[in-house]
Amino acid sequence: MTETAVFHAFLAGLVSACSLPLGTLTLLFWRPSNKAIALLIAFGAGALLAALTIDLVVPALDNGEYQLLAAGCICGSLLYLGLNDIINNRGGFLRKTATTFTYFERQSEKKFSRLVHSFRRMPVFQLIPDHEAHLLGTISRRQEYPGGAQLYRKGDTPANLYIVENGQVELLDPRQNMEPFLTLGPGDSFSRMAFITGLPNATAARTKGTTSVWIIEKESFSSILDETPVLRKQLAEFLSASPEIKRYLVQRHGMSPEESDRWIHAAATAVNGSGHLVCASSPQADRQQQAEDALRHASRFPVLEQLPPDLVKAVAGFMHHYRYDKGEVIYRNSEYADRLYLVTCGTVALIDPSDDSPDPHILTPGSIFGALSMLTGAHHAAAAVAQEDVGLWVIRRKDFDILVRTHQELAVRLERFLTTQTVRNYLEQRQHFHADIATQWTRKALEQLSRGNRPLPATEEMNAEIREHKNAPMAIWLGILLDGIPESLVIGALMVTSPMISLSLLAGLFLSNYPEALSSSAGMRQQGMSLWHVLLMWSSLMLMTGIGAALGNLMFNGAPPHLFAFTKGIAAGAMLTVIAETMLPEAYLKGGSITGLTTLLGFLGAILAGEAAW
């Protein structure tokens, strides 16, 4: 009799979980929209809520076991949360959009706290109140760079303020053959003097290994000075009292002591009065016209070709001119891309290591290059070398983002370009991205454009967290197994007292598992996992659910009533936490306000199924 009950529990577990591989197989003939997935998840969550109410909560209340049930629910919820957090930190967060979103939100909060702490290490920010420090944090953006990436070069302007989050940065001295003179680690800031004075960077900065930094742009910093009176006062005092400023102006930019004193006085007065930073120099007047003339003849990048006069003027205002000597490397293959280039004189050779041709591709005046790498925030797929003395106009990624946010026509041109096959081919063939990741980047980029206030996503940022979790597939599998353990145990436990499992519970579990598998499978496919790999994972979980139900039946056969009630509480608490932590957030994230009504329909549907069975 016991063997028969165990076998029946095993079959019931398989039936409740057979919707897991079915959800994956659905992707072979149907790619559901986010709205459709949301409807299915919400319906399944409602059905599972009804099943828990009918089959676990109501019987416990009828038997006067509320205290045991409540204690079990709390223990089950805490146990699930603890294990779930461990698994998520090892890559299990990738199993669903909602868990991925929540994980990144929490990670962002932690990083934001570390950033605010780093502010306190800079003299000019030490005494500012918390709300001003947090305002500084909101204008800071995080960027990850590979090893050997140039954060800035000598002559770059306007300078940003940088804070190292992780990794190391080397500062290079152009007067000493670009040899490193200082290595910075987490929490250290750099480029402060160029940032405050508005002068071009006098040094260069290069990452030493994979490094992430926080960046504050001068324009964004100036925009908040009116809202930060303490910061403004601190900045004015720093300008007036710090010998570091005067030393920088004299030694790095050749100002006379008198000139530096005059500028420092004017800058401190401006900060105190109008609340803005005064630049120590201004660009040459004729550079604007030269940039406009070059831009009118630009080619090889449709977004900037044949621009109307007003847009030519706006874009030219963000262009910077550089010169490279014959044979000088402009950028190396696999170097992080943060700017596009427009040739004005001379020729540039593009050397592609994957190209079998011995002859490099030669770019002549008017040619734009590096644009696709800059847009996607990826690495250059080829190296660029000055074939002869070369003049280049440069647009940096951060400036391009500003232009796109402030000029609708440029945003429309970019949106049109991002939907072309050129971009997709570049990501898949040149950057070797999985097709789903390429699609994911394009969708996110278009979404950011539609919002109008965010920079384009960088592929390096999207992949950074995923690269950190080398054992993510196993963590995903464990995470989904964790979601299914409570349901399998409760099936086995309930079949100790009844040879037949409740139809409402079986339907609730089946209906909740199907959209879970459908949604998670789509997410894992986007992470580059093959369909058959995902199907194998779900099939093994179906088998594990059956085994878990059989073990539950064996474990609780002959168990005292109070232990039985407590165990049902653990299962109910864990499953309710799954619904609240993953299912409903996932449904709302994908479907919006329709989630509430659909959850209600699932709840009523499961009750109707249970009533029909009775």
Side-chain angles (χ1 to χ4, degrees):
M1 186 69 176
T2 301
E3 292 179 358
T4 302
V6 170
F7 180 71
H8 285 165
F10 174 75
L11 290 179
L14 291 181
V15 171
S16 71
C18 69
S19 52
L20 294 174
L22 286 177
T24 304
L25 290 172
T26 301
L27 294 177
L28 290 173
F29 56 86
W30 180 44
R31 289 297 179 99
S33 64
N34 281 343
K35 185 74 74 174
I37 291 176
L39 293 174
L40 290 169
I41 293 174
F43 190 89
L48 187 55
L49 280 170
L52 293 176
T53 303
I54 295 171
D55 295 292
L56 296 182
V57 177
V58 172
L61 293 176
D62 290 342
N63 296 330
E65 298 169 338
Y66 171 77
Q67 290 83 358
L68 288 170
L69 181 77
C73 283
I74 294 171
C75 290
S77 178
L78 293 175
L79 180 62
Y80 173 84
L81 289 173
L83 293 173
N84 190 52
D85 187 61
I86 293 172
I87 291 172
N88 280 346
N89 287 333
R90 285 159 176 77
F93 66 90
L94 295 171
R95 67 189 186 271
K96 289 184 180 179
T97 303
T99 54
T100 303
F101 181 81
T102 301
Y103 178 83
F104 283 128
E105 284 290 305
R106 290 174 180 171
Q107 291 299 104
S108 296
E109 291 175 5
K110 293 178 182 177
K111 290 170 183 174
F112 190 85
S113 297
R114 291 199 296 268
L115 173 64
V116 171
H117 177 72
S118 296
F119 288 150
R120 308 293 189 192
R121 296 175 57 177
M122 286 182 272
V124 72
F125 297 148
Q126 276 181 351
L127 302 178
I128 61 175
D130 288 343
H131 70 277
E132 292 191 11
H134 279 78
L135 189 57
L136 271 174
T138 61
I139 64 169
S140 306
R141 63 182 176 88
R142 180 182 178 274
Q143 182 73 59
E144 179 170 309
Y145 296 90
Q150 292 277 347
L151 301 182
Y152 56 80
R153 297 169 174 81
K154 179 188 175 183
D156 277 0
T157 183
N160 298 321
L161 175 63
Y162 297 85
I163 299 172
V164 182
E165 182 195 36
N166 290 305
Q168 292 183 316
V169 172
E170 294 178 321
L171 299 186
L172 315 175
D173 191 344
R175 300 175 303 183
Q176 301 295 329
N177 198 28
M178 298 302 284
E179 289 295 323
F181 66 89
L182 185 62
T183 300
L184 306 173
D188 292 334
S189 59
F190 56 103
S191 189
R192 297 186 305 276
M193 295 298 101
F195 177 78
I196 292 173
T197 62
L199 287 166
N201 284 109
T203 60
R206 180 180 63 199
T207 59
K208 188 177 181 181
T210 300
T211 302
S212 58
V213 298
W214 289 96
I215 303 172
I216 300 179
E217 297 171 355
K218 192 177 185 71
E219 181 181 353
S220 300
F221 181 78
S222 298
S223 69
I224 67 166
L225 283 177
D226 283 340
E227 306 172 57
T228 52
V230 178
L231 171 59
R232 194 164 64 245
K233 180 182 177 183
Q234 288 287 109
L235 179 57
E237 292 177 356
F238 179 76
L239 284 165
S240 300
S242 174
E244 188 180 2
I245 295 279
K246 184 172 182 177
R247 188 164 56 248
Y248 175 79
L249 294 174
V250 172
Q251 295 180 1
R252 289 289 182 179
H253 291 281
M255 279 191 182
S256 67
E258 293 76 17
E259 287 175 327
S260 65
D261 286 339
R262 283 195 296 270
W263 179 83
I264 289 171
H265 176 72
T269 302
V271 169
N272 263 327
S274 58
H276 71 274
L277 284 169
V278 176
C279 291
S281 64
S282 59
Q284 298 178 19
D286 60 344
R287 284 293 174 92
Q288 173 76 20
Q289 187 59 51
Q290 293 173 8
E292 290 180 23
D293 292 341
L295 195 56
R296 290 190 184 97
H297 300 92
S299 62
R300 298 185 76 249
F301 183 43
V303 179
L304 296 182
E305 292 176 14
Q306 299 179 344
L307 294 174
D310 61 328
L311 205 48
V312 168
K313 187 177 183 65
V315 175
F318 284 89
M319 295 170 68
H320 304 269
H321 196 266
Y322 294 82
R323 296 198 64 85
Y324 290 85
D325 297 331
K326 180 180 179 180
E328 192 172 354
V329 176
I330 300 168
Y331 58 74
R332 293 177 174 81
N333 170 49
S334 298
E335 186 175 302
Y336 180 82
D338 66 343
R339 57 192 70 192
L340 64 79
Y341 302 82
L342 169 58
V343 183
T344 58
C345 63
T347 55
V348 174
L350 293 184
I351 304 171
D352 186 353
S354 64
D355 190 352
D356 295 331
S357 173
D359 300 320
H361 183 62
I362 305 300
L363 301 176
T364 56
S367 300
I368 290 177
F369 63 100
L372 278 168
S373 301
M374 179 208 72
L375 282 179
T376 56
H379 298 87
H380 288 295
V385 179
Q387 196 177 41
E388 51 191 87
D389 291 349
V390 170
L392 299 173
W393 285 104
V394 173
I395 302 178
R396 288 173 288 187
R397 193 176 198 266
K398 67 184 186 64
D399 296 329
F400 188 79
D401 285 335
I402 293 172
L403 285 165
V404 170
R405 294 199 298 269
T406 54
H407 294 82
Q408 182 61 31
E409 182 173 350
L410 192 62
V412 171
R413 283 169 163 260
L414 179 58
E415 182 177 2
R416 191 182 304 128
F417 179 67
L418 290 176
T419 58
T420 63
Q421 193 63 35
T422 301
V423 176
R424 186 175 188 87
N425 288 344
Y426 174 80
L427 290 172
E428 294 182 21
Q429 298 172 14
R430 305 290 290 157
Q431 296 294 335
H432 309 294
F433 290 160
H434 187 277
D436 287 332
I437 296 178
T439 300
Q440 186 180 10
W441 182 89
T442 303
R443 287 177 179 171
K444 188 171 182 181
L446 293 173
E447 180 185 346
Q448 303 288 58
L449 276 177
S450 68
R451 294 183 180 182
N453 60 351
R454 295 190 178 187
L456 291 176
T459 54
E460 279 301 302
E461 291 180 4
M462 292 178 63
N463 291 328
E465 290 285 354
I466 297 172
R467 286 200 306 268
E468 290 179 8
H469 301 281
K470 298 179 180 179
N471 296 319
M474 178 57 69
I476 292 172
W477 187 88
L478 289 172
I480 300 169
L481 175 63
L482 177 63
D483 294 347
I485 287 175
E487 64 187 55
S488 62
L489 290 178
V490 80
I491 287 172
L494 288 174
M495 293 187 72
V496 170
T497 56
S498 173
M500 296 296 294
I501 188 70
S502 164
L503 181 60
S504 60
L505 180 62
L506 199 60
L509 293 173
F510 183 93
L511 292 173
S512 65
N513 282 331
Y514 176 77
E516 179 182 10
L518 189 62
S519 174
S520 296
S521 297
M524 287 186 282
R525 291 282 292 128
Q526 288 181 348
Q527 304 302 331
M529 297 176 66
S530 70
L531 180 68
W532 300 112
H533 189 181
V534 177
L535 180 61
L536 178 62
M537 290 176 66
W538 288 118
S539 299
S540 64
L541 288 169
M542 178 186 71
L543 181 62
M544 294 294 290
T545 302
I547 294 172
L551 290 175
N553 189 268
L554 280 173
M555 288 168 55
F556 297 106
N557 187 26
H562 64 274
L563 178 60
F564 190 66
F566 182 75
T567 303
K568 287 196 295 184
I570 290 178
M575 282 193 281
L576 284 168
T577 305
V578 170
I579 294 170
E581 281 266 310
T582 62
M583 295 182 70
L584 291 179
E586 178 89 356
Y588 190 81
L589 188 65
K590 292 179 180 294
S593 58
I594 194 66
T595 301
L597 177 61
T598 312
T599 304
L600 176 62
L601 292 176
F603 184 85
L604 296 175
I607 291 177
L608 182 63
E611 185 176 330
W614 295 335

